[in-house]
Amino acid sequence: MNIRQIFGLLAAIACAGSVQAQRVGWEADFKTRFDNREFTGSSCNESQTIFLADLSTAVSYNWLDRNTLRFGVQMQKDFGDNRDYFSEVRPLASYAYRAERLGADVGIFSRDELRGDYSHAFFNDSLRIYDPTIQGMAVRYRNPKGLRAELVLNWEGMYSEYSREKFRIFGAIHKDWSREADKRWYVGGGLSMFHFANSALTEGNVVDNMLANPYVGFASKAAEVVRRNADGRPTVERPFWYDFRAGFLWAPQRDRIADEGWKAPMGGELRVRLGWKGLEFENNLYVGENLMPLFGRYGSELYAGERWYGTRDRIYNRTRLGYERSFASETIRVQAGMIFHTDGTGLYTQQVVQVSVRLGKTLYDQRNHPQR
């Protein structure tokens, strides 16, 4: 079924159905990213240049304002890869529920729908680029008192001759305490449990991999929402803002076939973020043990976090200088940054430029077509 057929089906449902407040819409999200990583000489990471385009487009059917079905496709093209028209093509098919306090997604949907504030030890930049969808479900909750939480199940591999059975359950919780009009204390944390099992051609090497990250922090209080983007999402303006966070990383893991028992490396992380009118400074300092002791055996199949957290010298520091600005009524966004990494043995650089375009249009709204 192609996009025209899908749209025709949704329009027919909207016109024929008896449920009030139905809408059919179209949305598109385009990104092009240049990401140059100069890591030569590092014992933790390798040099690489990523230059690609990413396009997601979908049609949606919304009813009763809170319920949405989406059908579409997400396509990627690595520049210079001339083996095919696209390097990767993935379907998008999901149901979303949105209420004042509760939200949920089921199916195949974008990682952009997630709201947790995760350390780079959880998810690396390459995974966010090359695996931009969640296959499973996500549930989110928030209340006016500053509590927000999410829980996600991502089924990453099906048991077969070609793939291991893999699934990840992860989530985050965050609670604000406002002491002054423009400042707030907060506590929170992230948790990930990854089950890395067999394929039909391997036996016995099931691996359990967990990561916990409780934290406390102090930040400026966000300004009120002043406008909404073209897709309806709010934009928060803060001329100057800051965020200081201290956390603890604990990574219990076990390779069952090796019979080595549980390994539980740990360490501390300090994050400092400052921003002013689109300019941003961020520094993450990790001091502790190698959080990826099984990387040599299983590599990035087992670990989703930044490879730098496998430091052998008990230290990793990441400093980012960035700029972000939106144009054309928030439909176009430009991001640029210079990132400096050190793992205790040297200084390495990364340059990133990304241009994003997000469009959306209501194709049919029942409220504009009252029944006679």
Side-chain angles (χ1 to χ4, degrees), residues 181-200:
D182 61 343
K183 301 178 179 65
R184 59 184 170 90
W185 289 94
Y186 62 83
V187 298
L191 179 66
S192 173
M193 296 177 287
F194 184 52
H195 181 67
F196 182 74
N198 302 314
S199 71

Side-chain angles (χ1 to χ4, degrees), residues 182-184 186 218-223 238 240-244:
D182 61 343
K183 301 178 179 65
R184 59 184 170 90
Y186 62 83
F218 179 70
S220 58
K221 192 172 182 180
R238 291 177 287 178
F240 173 76
W241 57 272
Y242 55 85
D243 187 346
F244 305 100

Side-chain angles (χ1 to χ4, degrees), residues 212-228:
N213 176 217
Y215 59 75
V216 297
F218 179 70
S220 58
K221 192 172 182 180
E224 294 183 355
V225 174
V226 295
R227 64 178 182 274
R228 289 186 176 272

Side-chain angles (χ1 to χ4, degrees), residues 212-215 246-250 266-269:
N213 176 217
Y215 59 75
F248 176 72
L249 288 164
W250 181 49
M266 62 186 71
E269 186 172 43

Side-chain angles (χ1 to χ4, degrees), residues 138-149:
V139 179
R140 290 173 296 281
Y141 172 81
R142 64 180 302 165
N143 67 25
K145 295 183 179 181
L147 174 66
R148 60 182 186 269

Side-chain angles (χ1 to χ4, degrees), residues 134-298:
I134 298 293
Q135 301 182 65
M137 61 185 68
V139 179
R140 290 173 296 281
Y141 172 81
R142 64 180 302 165
N143 67 25
K145 295 183 179 181
L147 174 66
R148 60 182 186 269
E150 76 175 4
L151 182 64
V152 184
L153 168 61
N154 188 21
W155 204 273
E156 301 180 17
M158 182 185 72
Y159 178 81
S160 68
E161 294 183 0
Y162 311 102
S163 172
R164 292 177 178 268
E165 180 180 271
K166 300 181 289 184
F167 63 85
R168 190 185 311 273
I169 301 173
F170 64 94
I173 188 168
H174 184 104
K175 177 68 171 72
D176 288 334
W177 275 283
S178 298
R179 298 300 183 185
E180 299 180 37
D182 61 343
K183 301 178 179 65
R184 59 184 170 90
W185 289 94
Y186 62 83
V187 298
L191 179 66
S192 173
M193 296 177 287
F194 184 52
H195 181 67
F196 182 74
N198 302 314
S199 71
L201 301 179
T202 59
E203 293 294 337
N205 56 340
V206 176
V207 183
D208 306 296
N209 184 18
M210 293 179 277
L211 180 61
N213 176 217
Y215 59 75
V216 297
F218 179 70
S220 58
K221 192 172 182 180
E224 294 183 355
V225 174
V226 295
R227 64 178 182 274
R228 289 186 176 272
N229 300 335
D231 62 355
R233 295 185 180 184
T235 295
V236 177
E237 287 192 343
R238 291 177 287 178
F240 173 76
W241 57 272
Y242 55 85
D243 187 346
F244 305 100
R245 187 170 98 177
F248 176 72
L249 288 164
W250 181 49
Q253 51 203 278
R254 174 182 59 166
D255 186 352
R256 300 184 192 181
I257 195 174
D259 195 25
E260 299 170 348
W262 284 92
K263 302 176 184 293
M266 62 186 71
E269 186 172 43
L270 178 65
R271 187 184 78 178
V272 177
R273 296 178 63 197
L274 305 171
W276 179 74
K277 292 186 176 181
L279 294 171
E280 183 173 338
F281 167 84
E282 178 179 350
N283 194 84
N284 291 267
L285 172 63
Y286 170 74
V287 179
E289 299 171 298
N290 175 4
L291 297 181
M292 303 179 178
L294 302 177
F295 190 90
R297 194 174 299 166
Y298 299 108

